[in-house]
Amino acid sequence: MKKVLVAGAGGFIGGYLVKKLLSTGNVVTAVDVKPLEDWYQVHPEASNFSRDLALLSECENSMDGVDEVYNLAADMGGMGFIENNKAACMLSVLINTHLLMAAKENGVKRFFYASSACVYNASKQESEDNPGLKEEDAYPAMPEDGYGWEKLFSERMCRHFYEDYGIETRVARYHNVYGPLGTWDGGREKAPAALARKVSIAKINGTSGIEIWGDGEQTRSFTYIDDCIEGTLRLMESNIHEPINIGSDQMVSINQMVNILEDIAAISLEREYNLGAPKGVRGRNSDNTLVRELMGWEPTVALEDGLRKTYEWIYGEILAKRDRK
């Protein structure tokens, strides 16, 4: 049994992680800047606190007796949010820096940092036919402006706290994590949830079309939440010090994802392409060679299966929201 601090516990991934850690007998301190009523999941078995971990004092207040830290806290969202809130994204560097400082002072043994595929060099993501991004492709550095730079800097901070102070740091580069109980509206949602929402609304309203950002040929790989949690826990228990991909290598275009959602919803839609909307890099995919070699594991949930669960949940949420009005 370990005492574990989960930073960003009120977020999408954090809520699932707290649940899993509790189920395996850990004592969990769950912290998020949001009020408890705004958390995606609240687990009464954990010690739950609303605190701003950008402040060193609040990081110190959260470290008493902690053996391990999982840092998932960040001001982030989908491409629409990232491209229009670069300064806010950069300020998340304070969270990781202050958590590492507090962890060092309190003798924390292991520290996990949730990084992102947004750290990868943009010049390697200019074609929709992306062969897969290897961990080495983060350098020479040319990450996503704002959000990607913060993630890359924080990766380096973890590396140096390991080298200089001996804290066992672990860094995962997540590739587009999605699933039920996540953000699906309001501007911070990512592509799977946004498209599932649009298809659900079209199905419910009986409308015939949806808007797609860009030309729909931009490509990504998407990682189901169960795979994300499994990979995170395996990485934390490993001896891997360098950043590593935690992501599916099942790459699809946005148009192909809409096709899958249409099949799930049993609907056919006309597509209106908004070429001026935020769309990010042209093509991004996870190369899983290293994670297979070092961990003997890689994500296994097919996009079709994960999207079905996500669509069904969002469809239900939309109906429930309407019933409450």
Side-chain angles (χ1 to χ4, degrees):
M1 184 177 66
K2 293 170 289 191
K3 185 170 183 181
V4 180
L5 168 64
V6 177
F12 168 50
I13 301 173
Y16 279 94
L17 180 60
V18 170
K19 181 179 180 179
K20 184 66 175 180
L21 289 167
L22 288 168
S23 73
T24 52
N26 297 285
V27 176
V28 178
T29 298
V31 181
D32 200 283
V33 70
K34 297 186 292 293
L36 281 174
E37 59 267 25
D38 293 336
W39 288 25
Y40 290 73
Q41 299 182 55
V42 178
H43 303 284
E45 311 96 302
S47 298
N48 299 299
F49 300 99
S50 177
R51 293 173 176 168
D52 185 358
L53 294 175
L55 304 175
L56 178 59
S57 59
E58 293 289 47
C59 293
E60 292 171 337
N61 290 338
S62 304
M63 286 288 174
D64 184 38
V66 167
D67 300 303
E68 296 182 352
V69 173
Y70 289 84
N71 180 19
L72 302 133
D75 195 358
M76 60 87 67
M79 191 51 59
F81 180 83
I82 289 173
E83 288 198 2
N84 293 295
N85 295 276
K86 294 183 177 68
C89 290
M90 288 290 286
L91 285 171
S92 294
V93 72
L94 294 172
I95 301 171
N96 196 60
T97 301
H98 288 151
L99 280 171
L100 280 167
M101 292 170 65
K104 170 182 171 288
E105 293 304 314
N106 286 272
V108 169
K109 299 177 180 66
R110 292 199 172 214
F111 187 102
F112 172 87
Y113 177 64
S115 187
S116 166
C118 288
V119 302
Y120 284 113
N121 188 307
S123 69
K124 294 183 178 291
Q125 304 173 78
E126 294 175 345
S127 170
E128 59 267 22
D129 187 23
N130 192 304
L133 294 161
K134 298 178 181 294
E135 284 76 4
E136 64 199 49
D137 290 333
Y139 295 94
M142 196 194 306
E144 192 88 44
D145 199 9
Y147 180 72
W149 275 109
E150 185 277 321
K151 291 296 185 185
L152 195 61
F153 177 87
S154 293
E155 286 188 6
R156 302 295 291 192
M157 186 73 79
C158 288
R159 170 179 171 173
H160 297 315
F161 266 71
Y162 165 64
E163 293 172 339
D164 293 356
Y165 305 122
I167 297 177
E168 289 287 335
T169 55
R170 303 288 183 268
V171 176
R173 290 176 181 162
Y174 289 153
H175 286 250
N176 297 305
V177 182
Y178 74 100
L181 304 180
T183 303
W184 56 272
D185 65 356
R188 290 181 183 253
E189 66 277 14
K190 295 185 179 182
L195 293 173
R197 182 194 73 241
K198 292 176 182 180
V199 172
S200 294
I201 291 173
K203 176 78 170 181
I204 292 167
N205 292 343
T207 51
S208 61
I210 60 170
E211 180 188 67
I212 294 175
W213 287 6
D215 63 4
E217 292 305 306
Q218 63 269 39
T219 54
R220 297 290 188 276
S221 60
F222 299 92
T223 312
Y224 191 64
I225 183 63
D226 291 356
D227 281 332
C228 172
I229 297 302
E230 180 68 19
T232 296
L233 294 173
R234 285 174 179 256
L235 176 58
M236 190 62 144
E237 296 302 318
S238 76
N239 294 316
I240 302 169
H241 292 104
E242 65 263 40
I244 196 163
N245 286 330
I246 299 293
S248 170
D249 61 3
Q250 183 185 354
M251 188 176 71
V252 296
S253 70
I254 297 301
N255 281 326
Q256 288 171 330
M257 188 170 2
V258 175
N259 291 343
I260 295 170
L261 286 165
E262 285 179 327
D263 288 343
I264 293 169
I267 192 174
S268 180
L269 299 169
E270 297 175 5
R271 303 173 190 190
E272 178 183 342
Y273 294 99
N274 183 350
L275 301 182
K279 45 193 173 287
V281 297
R282 188 61 177 170
R284 176 181 293 156
N285 190 23
S286 178
D287 184 297
N288 288 345
T289 302
L290 192 61
V291 74
R292 285 195 299 264
E293 176 186 330
L294 298 182
M295 287 172 48
W297 174 89
E298 65 180 319
T300 60
V301 178
L303 180 62
E304 293 81 358
D305 296 331
L307 274 181
R308 180 175 296 278
K309 294 177 182 178
T310 305
Y311 170 82
E312 290 173 350
W313 177 76
I314 290 174
Y315 187 92
E317 287 295 296
I318 293 171
L319 290 179
K321 187 175 182 179
R322 291 191 172 191
D323 289 342
R324 289 193 294 267
K325 290 183 177 179

